[in-house]
Amino acid sequence: MTVTKRTRVRLLGAGSAALGSLALGACGSAAVPGARPAGAPATEPAAATPPPADVRPPLPLRPSPPPPACTPQGIAVSMAEPDAAMGLRAARIELRNCGSRPYLLNGYPSLRVLDASRQPFDVEIVRGTRQVKDAGPKPLTIRPGRKAAFVIVWRNTVTDANTVAVAGKYLEVRPAPGRPVVVVPAIGPIDLGTTGRMEETAWQLPRG
């Protein structure tokens, strides 16, 4: 074939078109940075980590007092934690017959409030009270394994700044006339303030 100027122009045009097609194809197949490939699952954003919970250690429990020892007379005497309301305190004193013979009670026990050195405070003990129920004195027979109780009542009132407030650490209990005394550790102080006064009920059998 004889190549003329017109033929050469056509060949050059066709070659340029072919080169342009190759260039476009190459550009179309190039990977775009950050682009997700076709068919690939979309990436979910990472879930935010919740802040740690406010976990506080539990409050320490108050240790239980040891059980009272059985005396040679065959009784064990203990004091319960006082119940306080509006400045009035009331605490239950319990006697358990841990011996092998019946134990006789009648009326009100004799009491003294003692300090940490087991020395007595100058406190008036009033037999009978209107603050809690008092069944009054009567003879009781406590069989082995059974219990009796009375209640002491007082107010934590300070009226004289020059007087040392009473904060008893022990309660001395004589269950009945002629019986040996038992010294009972107080659960919490017997805080009489400056009143110098404590009331008590008579011995009574527990309900039920």
Side-chain angles (χ1 to χ4, degrees):
M1 178 178 70
T2 302
V3 180
T4 63
K5 289 182 178 181
R6 181 175 295 180
T7 304
R8 185 179 295 170
V9 171
R10 287 179 178 175
L11 288 175
L12 289 172
S16 299
L19 290 173
S21 299
L22 290 174
L24 290 173
C27 293
S29 62
V32 179
R36 178 169 54 90
T43 303
E44 296 292 337
T49 304
D54 185 12
V55 179
R56 299 181 182 179
L59 295 175
L61 298 177
R62 177 183 295 182
S64 300
C70 189
T71 68
Q73 290 72 40
I75 60 172
V77 184
S78 61
M79 176 179 174
E81 185 172 357
D83 182 13
M86 300 297 290
L88 180 69
R89 274 86 158 126
R92 177 184 174 92
I93 313 299
E94 189 174 81
L95 177 150
R96 180 174 62 89
N97 186 344
C98 51
S100 57
R101 296 182 296 178
Y103 194 88
L104 304 181
L105 297 171
N106 189 359
Y108 296 91
S110 298
L111 306 177
R112 289 200 303 176
V113 180
L114 310 181
D115 63 13
S117 301
R118 302 197 179 192
Q119 297 301 310
F121 287 102
D122 184 14
V123 174
E124 179 188 7
I125 305 299
V126 180
R127 294 187 169 184
T129 178
R130 295 183 179 180
Q131 306 297 333
V132 296
K133 185 177 180 180
D134 182 9
K138 60 181 179 180
L140 300 175
T141 300
I142 315 302
R143 300 194 302 273
R146 303 302 293 270
K147 299 177 181 180
F150 68 95
V151 177
I152 55 175
V153 182
W154 71 93
R155 289 190 179 275
N156 179 20
T157 304
V158 177
T159 57
D160 185 359
N162 297 320
T163 302
V164 177
V166 173
K169 299 298 184 180
Y170 298 92
L171 183 67
E172 183 187 271
V173 181
R174 188 182 299 276
R179 297 281 191 175
V181 300
V182 181
V183 176
V184 182
I187 305 300
I190 304 176
D191 49 352
L192 306 180
T194 58
T195 62
R197 175 187 173 96
M198 186 171 70
E199 301 175 357
E200 65 169 336
T201 70
W203 286 107
Q204 56 190 334
L205 297 177
R207 297 177 181 177

